[in-house]
Amino acid sequence: MKKLILLLLFTGVVSAQTFKVEQVSGDVKYQSGSSESWVELKAGETVSDDVTISTGKNSSVVLSGKGVQFKLGELAAVSISNIKKMNIDELLLALAMEDMLKAPKKIEKSSDNTAVYGSEEGNKNEPMIKSNDFGIKRLNGAVELAGNGFEESAVVAAKETFRKYPDTKNLVSYRIYFADILYEKGLYEEALDEYVDIQKLNLTDEERAKVNEKTESIKMKLLSD
């Protein structure tokens, strides 16, 4: 019953939206609804909430909606339903839903496990991995969401990806990236849960030092409240 109530509440805060495809460069495909087929996406088309877009190497797509423009770069995937602004309460509700969905009924298959670490721009703040592995593509899409100002939606997209593609939970740079967003949003208890879980992974000395520092910082903040 609790799960049903949360689902109804969450449904109530999500409004349907559509986006126009302004520009397509390279290999860009979309999957609609429950269809398992990927179809070439063309400029001028309109996509709605039930669509997922995926880009290939050296490819990108620009979408525009009501007061919103979003660019998805190469080797990334995003669900149209995630391209939206969320407030903190909506984020907390979505995270609660994710907590109840942690045991997936179906583990999605990856398309290609080959990965190249690092972006062409060399932006150390973005843990982008170049890969056709769809789980990694989904995480790259979540990073793109954050970079376009949809930080709350990015966290939700990342959490969903970690649930559906369990192997991605071992990608430390992504885990830290999204935990940091929770920290920056002042969601210290949620961020602490993430950092504590990350501490169990195979970390470099630099990563462990950063995670330990954030963990201790949060504990101090919570004790002072």
Side-chain angles (χ1 to χ4, degrees):
M1 179 60 71
K2 182 179 179 182
K3 180 176 179 180
L4 176 60
I5 291 173
L6 281 173
L7 180 60
L8 291 173
L9 287 172
F10 186 59
T11 301
V13 301
V14 177
S15 56
Q17 59 184 345
T18 59
F19 284 83
K20 181 181 178 181
V21 181
E22 297 288 353
Q23 181 181 336
V24 174
S25 176
D27 178 25
V28 182
K29 294 183 172 63
Y30 74 94
Q31 190 178 60
S32 181
S34 59
S35 173
E36 295 185 359
S37 299
W38 288 93
V39 181
E40 180 183 359
L41 186 65
K42 299 178 181 179
E45 293 185 317
T46 299
V47 289
S48 56
D49 277 356
D50 66 341
V51 166
T52 297
I53 295 176
S54 176
T55 61
K57 187 175 181 180
N58 298 322
S59 303
S60 64
V61 58
V62 177
L63 308 172
S64 64
K66 188 176 181 180
V68 175
Q69 188 171 74
F70 175 77
K71 180 178 180 179
L72 185 68
E74 68 170 335
L75 294 170
V78 70
S79 296
I80 296 301
S81 59
N82 285 130
I83 310 175
K84 63 179 183 292
K85 291 287 187 179
M86 300 177 70
N87 59 39
I88 295 299
D89 288 338
E90 290 168 345
L91 173 56
L92 288 172
L93 182 56
L95 292 178
M97 282 296 300
E98 274 301 316
D99 284 341
M100 290 190 294
L101 295 172
K102 277 185 178 178
K105 295 180 180 179
K106 177 183 178 182
I107 297 177
E108 303 290 345
K109 294 182 179 179
S110 299
S111 57
D112 186 352
N113 289 324
T114 302
V116 178
Y117 289 75
S119 64
E120 291 180 0
E121 294 80 8
N123 187 345
K124 295 181 180 180
N125 294 321
E126 294 188 356
M128 306 290 280
I129 298 175
K130 293 183 178 181
S131 173
N132 279 320
D133 181 288
F134 197 67
I136 295 177
K137 277 190 169 187
R138 288 292 299 266
L139 288 179
N140 287 342
V143 171
E144 298 267 21
L145 284 169
N148 279 269
F150 303 100
E151 290 92 350
E152 292 83 359
S153 295
V155 171
V156 175
K159 293 281 281 186
E160 179 183 352
T161 302
F162 293 139
R163 170 171 55 85
K164 290 186 174 181
Y165 305 86
D167 286 348
T168 63
K169 293 185 70 176
N170 297 318
L171 298 173
V172 176
S173 58
Y174 287 98
R175 295 291 302 278
I176 292 175
Y177 180 84
F178 294 106
D180 285 350
I181 292 178
L182 291 172
Y183 180 89
E184 291 162 5
K185 295 292 179 181
L187 299 179
Y188 298 125
E189 293 184 4
E190 290 75 13
L192 181 59
D193 288 342
E194 287 297 309
Y195 289 128
V196 169
D197 199 36
I198 292 169
Q199 286 176 325
K200 302 172 186 176
L201 302 177
N202 184 21
L203 309 179
T204 65
D205 291 342
E206 181 180 356
E207 290 167 341
R208 189 167 298 282
K210 177 179 181 178
V211 172
N212 289 344
E213 180 183 357
K214 287 291 179 65
T215 300
E216 292 305 313
S217 173
I218 293 173
K219 289 178 179 178
M220 294 296 294
K221 290 178 184 294
L222 295 178
L223 285 173
S224 64
D225 288 343

